[in-house]
Amino acid sequence: MNTHLPVATTSAAIEVTDMTVAYGDKPVLWDVDLETPPGVLMAVVGPNGAGKTTLIKAILGLVPAAAGQVLIHGKPYHAQRQRVGYVPQRGSVDWDFPTSVLDVVMMGRYGRLGWFRRPGKAERDLAMQALEQVGMAEYAQRQISQLSGGQQQRVFLARALVQDADVYFMDEPFQGVDAMTERAIVDLLKGLRSAGKTVVVVHHDLQTVSEYFDWVTLLNVRCVASGPVSQVFTDENLRKTYGGRIAFVGRANNAEPTPGRISTPAPAIGV
Amino acid sequence: MELLNDLFFDYTLRTVAMGTAILGLVSGALGAFAFLRQQSLVGDAISHAALPGVVLAFMLTGLKGPLALMSGAAVAGIAGVLFVIAVTRLTRLKQDSALGIILSAFFGFGLMLLTFLQRNPDARQAGLNHFLFGQAATLLERDVMMMGVFGAAAVGLMLLFWKELKLLSFDRDFGASLGFPMTALEVLITLLLVIAIVIGLQAVGVILMSAMLVAPAAAARQWTDRLGVMVLLAALFGAAAGVVGTLLSSLGAGLSTGPVIVLCISVIALVSLLLAPNRGIVWTWLRNRRHAILATGLMGRG
């Protein structure tokens, strides 16, 4: 039933080589190499301006790269588009756009529909399923401007779910969502990983990296380190990424707020 | 009643009303996309930039037929857009400044050509200055035919690429990640906008044309939360303003049709901005007041 081809274990889900991106003469990403195995949940962390969003956009071909190559499951990205899902930053669109929740989610099927074909019942059903998965089914007919931040994020996730991709790129899905939504999103991400998907998440909260993710990339224009959280999410690598300012807050769940902290974690909820 | 009678039986009035209805419909529908992409000013720049194109087309060909002048207007409008893109890419200027500069530069150049021609003893140039404020009364059947053909093509393409244009307007990056060529779609919607503007120039003129793009869309957005309904309403508002404006201006001597049409659409926009349920200013004010009263009531009790 599953149409996805079995992936050879030696083949990386995402392989980025020599990725360099510059705006004007200012490099935003410098010579980034990345190799992410399939079936991991990877956080991309780094200070503001480290190029996290740019990395995702460059991989997806949304910003021109000065150099670099991207392979998705061993083939160039443009040949693998249908296997890639994308969740842009919530703030990147106009939520006052005259459209409904269901309509936005169906946009996730546009790529498979191709030119000219309009979404029909099949797309509607898939969108409703996805909305149920994110707990938004009863909002299907709502105008999108009536949603809270957390609900907007769930709609974007539902849109990515109907893409039915193997590799997902998500730009700050936890930005400005309440604790309940954050928990729901984490469960969803772990569900995707259990289904064998690879999920890359731009993340701001260092405190939750170990809890949510099993793989991490530390980025600050250059790629400082990338690998399993247990191996590369170390004091030393964090210091290299954030500079001397950071007081390490990683694995200690009740760490005091520190000047170097990047964001306030959501209140802890019993797991 | 007599007016409606005229609309059906007065040939000239019927022709002009047909023309202004087409113009309102096409500019309303395509203006809706420009409005939603927050590109309303682009329409303004294109229409002003079209003026030198009209004059140059006449100077080069000596023709005053709709095809020659509309082609000139379209070429100049597109050139204006390309200049805006070049200025924003190559300088530190933001798009609004670039639009302002190009708009005035092209328009000023057009005015200069126009005054230059007017000193010319060649009487054939008479009527070109109508492109400033438009003169719907000069619309002939061949003009209306031309407007109909190009307008239908523009609206047809918009409907054909509906899903893709919606994606472009709502979430460009996501659309690009799906593999749709977003830049090409941007070019397409801009070309359709150029067509909408060019077919309206003779009736409404380069100065007021942008109102026919923005006002119907702004009015329509007030009444609905669905893109399809909004585009349809914008088209209907535009067409209604065209017909009503034409009829009103036919009543009084010396009432220029173009400005009256623009006044009509402005009234529709004003009423919509004030009175539309949910989004209207009056509605919002009442709701806020109710909340305020409720809040003070609660505080009084507390």
Side-chain angles (χ1 to χ4, degrees), chain A residues 57 62 77 81 86 88 93-94 96-100 103 107-108 110-111 114-118 141 143-144 156 159 163, chain B residues 36 38 159-164 166-167 169-171 173-174 176-181 185 221 224-227 230 279:
Chain A
K57 287 194 169 180
L62 301 177
Y77 166 68
R81 258 185 225 286
Y86 175 42
V93 305
D94 172 18
D96 197 31
F97 195 85
T99 190
S100 67
D103 226 28
M107 286 179 189
Y110 282 12
W115 288 99
F116 310 127
R117 281 174 58 203
R118 303 287 173 91
Q141 297 304 327
Q143 209 276 324
I144 54 172
F156 261 17
R159 184 176 69 173
Q163 287 190 270
Chain B
L36 288 174
Q38 283 148 25
L159 294 175
L160 186 63
F161 288 95
W162 182 264
K163 164 173 118 265
E164 290 77 13
K166 178 158 77 174
L167 202 52
S169 309
F170 176 64
D171 197 344
D173 274 356
F174 184 72
S177 82
L178 295 180
F180 289 102
L185 285 166
R221 180 67 188 93
T224 177
D225 282 330
R226 292 285 184 270
L227 179 64
M230 180 188 160
R279 299 178 74 94

Side-chain angles (χ1 to χ4, degrees), chain A residues 57-127:
Chain A
K57 287 194 169 180
I59 290 175
L60 296 173
L62 301 177
V63 295
Q69 194 198 15
V70 178
L71 296 179
I72 303 288
H73 283 295
K75 284 191 198 143
Y77 166 68
H78 58 84
Q80 297 281 59
R81 258 185 225 286
Q82 307 286 12
R83 300 180 69 179
V84 175
Y86 175 42
V87 178
Q89 274 183 31
R90 183 163 56 84
S92 66
V93 305
D94 172 18
W95 287 94
D96 197 31
F97 195 85
T99 190
S100 67
V101 165
L102 187 67
D103 226 28
V104 170
V105 177
M106 283 197 294
M107 286 179 189
R109 298 304 296 175
Y110 282 12
R112 308 261 169 137
L113 279 171
W115 288 99
F116 310 127
R117 281 174 58 203
R118 303 287 173 91
K121 188 171 182 308
E123 284 71 31
R124 189 173 293 267
D125 292 347
L126 283 168

Side-chain angles (χ1 to χ4, degrees), chain B residues 252-272:
Chain B
L255 277 183
S256 194
T257 313
V260 176
I261 293 174
V262 170
L263 272 182
C264 285
I265 194 62
S266 304
V267 169
I268 295 177
L270 189 66
V271 168
S272 306

